Amino acid sequence: MNKEVDVLICGAGPTGLTLALVLAQRGVSFRLIEKMEAAFHGSRGKGLQPRTLEIFEDVGILEKIMAAGGPYPPQREYQDDGSWRDSPTAEQRAPTASEPYSMPWMVPQFSTEAAMRAKLGELGHQVEFGCELIGLEPQAQGVNARVTGQDGEHLLRARYVVAADGGRSFVRSLLEIDFPGKTLGVRAVVADVSLQGLSRDVWHRFSGGAQERQIALCPLAGTDLFQLQAALAGDEQPDLSADGLTRMVSERTGRTDIAIVAVQWASVFQMHARLAQRYRVGRVLLAGDAAHVHPPTGGQGLNTSVQDAYNLAWKLAAVLAGAEETLLDTYEEERRPIAASMLGLSTRLLDEARRGEMRRGREVQQLDLGYPGSSLALEMPVRRQGLMAGDRAPDAPVATLSGAPRRLFELFRGTHWTLIGFHVQPARAPQADDLQVHLFGPGGNLADVSGHFRDAYGLENGDWVLVRPDGYIGAIVASDNLEALMNYLQRAGVSAHREE
């Protein structure tokens, strides 16, 4: 194994795997280590939000993800008298031209991670299971890391280290980064079980009485399992065997016809809401649960963690390729406020769940999250309405000049930046190896046949819109501000020039 790499990734959950996938696609050398001896086999983070599906399309695993899961079933809430009421789990929305994925998709976390590892294998990389970080020594130009695994203990030199090692992050504690927040006073059990006595067409919720008497059993899409969820009273220590969970179900539902046949995975956890004081110390960065922990309500955790990694990976690759090191400062600048907001949302949803309110709307789908206040958001002139720099770049159906249909997301896919000119002078378009340029209007290569691009982007003739590698708007500038755009690209490590 390499004893010198560009990036050492500690933790091979969804955060570390996303980071590894993007770095692999960019040819960055890395090692992905995981102290567990084998892959995680629980369903824990089972809800993939629409924005995460867009990311998975970009990294090339969407088809496997869709095949491994299914839509959320309606929820069936049982009353004390044995009656029930069915209702949608989420607000029903149809896909649109700008938002191709409109609903969350249920995939057990073990299936999501398996799809990510398979893609990583196609790219020539693999997770090093049973390999653990035991020490760090930051240096001016890199980090000396002590790791131990099947081949014993050795020293590894990395230019950067990313801690994706979870809520009890060893790296965060080594760096003595404060992790302020609060314990929310809720303990719960979650388990993946085989059972008899319930149909698989609804999410069964028995929510009468106090919270510690409630229990939910959700059929896990893509499997023959159910996920059991139940809050615990005080310091209650549940029996997690099949017989023990059967008794818990019977006590909380009043039914004797539901039998847990087998338990594939079970966990008891305490809910916290905590946010790391900082995301970076020199050449060591935190991502995912190492940077933020929160209650599972609203399905925000895995999704926020994936997006941490998606934001960080292209910036790491750019700095390693020669971009200014200050680009890495924008990772915390952009992602920490998102995490703070997400902690507030998931805590509020936990309070609603305590009252039996479980329906989810657009606020959990993460399509409206962006970085409008970022130092990477450039507008010249400043825009007062519509799409802004820092916003998620919408999809739209377009066509080539020959009439072949394309989607903007197809044009964005990959490791490059994308520059779109709207009725501009083609000769003025910047050129760079990692910049793809597309033009609407005379002399261009795309046609807005249905007006969806115009509706989504709201550009004026002569405007240029720059889309970052992670699918967010970096800049929107008028043609007389192209010099500012060139400077922006230079700072981001894109060696752009214009033909004179």
Side-chain angles (χ1 to χ4, degrees), residues 42-200:
S43 66
R44 187 162 49 205
K46 67 181 183 299
L48 300 179
Q49 301 296 347
R51 179 58 187 152
T52 302
L53 297 178
E54 295 179 353
I55 292 172
F56 285 169
E57 178 181 353
D58 183 55
V59 298
I61 63 171
L62 183 65
E63 288 188 7
K64 287 183 178 178
I65 289 293
M66 300 302 281
Y72 271 73
Q75 56 184 339
R76 174 167 294 174
E77 189 170 1
Y78 293 87
Q79 309 303 317
D80 290 339
D81 63 3
S83 64
W84 68 74
R85 180 176 61 89
D86 289 353
S87 62
T89 305
E91 291 180 8
Q92 303 298 299
R93 289 196 312 119
T96 67
S98 61
E99 297 176 354
Y101 312 109
S102 59
M103 300 293 292
W105 195 248
M106 185 194 295
V107 186
Q109 184 171 326
F110 58 79
S111 297
T112 296
E113 292 186 12
M116 299 172 89
R117 287 193 303 272
K119 182 65 176 181
L120 196 60
E122 293 173 12
L123 296 171
H125 298 271
Q126 61 184 8
V127 178
E128 297 177 52
F129 287 106
C131 188
E132 183 176 2
L133 178 78
I134 57 175
L136 281 179
E137 183 186 350
Q139 308 263 299
Q141 300 302 316
V143 182
N144 290 334
R146 285 189 299 121
V147 299
T148 182
Q150 296 176 353
D151 56 350
E153 181 180 327
H154 63 271
L155 190 67
L156 169 65
R157 174 81 173 172
R159 292 175 68 183
Y160 292 93
V161 172
V162 178
D165 54 344
R168 296 185 177 90
S169 173
F170 175 67
V171 176
R172 189 187 63 238
S173 64
L174 274 182
L175 298 175
E176 298 183 340
I177 296 175
D178 288 342
F179 202 41
K182 59 184 178 180
T183 298
L184 299 175
V186 179
R187 292 174 63 248
V189 59
V190 60
D192 298 342
V193 301
S194 299
L195 62 75
Q196 297 172 347
L198 289 175
S199 67
R200 296 188 59 84

Side-chain angles (χ1 to χ4, degrees), residues 89 116 121 126 176 186 215 260 272 285 314 335 348 409 451:
T89 305
M116 299 172 89
Q126 61 184 8
E176 298 183 340
V186 179
I215 195 166
I260 306 296
H272 302 269
L285 302 107
W314 72 266
R335 292 303 302 169
R348 174 174 64 80
F409 277 9

Side-chain angles (χ1 to χ4, degrees), residues 255-332:
R255 291 174 54 170
T256 59
D257 59 327
I258 305 171
I260 306 296
V261 177
V263 181
Q264 176 167 301
W265 168 78
S267 175
V268 173
F269 63 98
Q270 175 84 42
M271 296 188 194
H272 302 269
R274 300 186 181 278
L275 178 61
Q277 201 71 52
R278 55 195 301 198
Y279 278 24
R280 180 186 178 197
V281 176
R283 290 175 172 262
V284 185
L285 302 107
L286 308 182
D289 286 355
H292 44 75
V293 295
H294 45 83
T297 40
Q300 299 297 284
L302 181 151
N303 297 274
T304 301
S305 297
V306 164
Q307 292 178 61
D308 282 350
Y310 193 58
N311 181 289
L312 175 58
W314 72 266
K315 295 174 181 178
L316 268 175
V319 170
L320 287 165
E324 296 177 11
E325 174 112 3
T326 53
L327 182 62
L328 289 179
D329 294 333
T330 68
Y331 165 60
E332 177 175 331

Side-chain angles (χ1 to χ4, degrees), residues 214-235:
Q214 299 173 9
I215 195 166
L217 293 150
C218 177
L220 284 170
T223 77
D224 58 1
L225 301 170
F226 281 74
Q227 186 189 71
L228 178 152
Q229 302 164 310
L232 299 173
D235 58 357

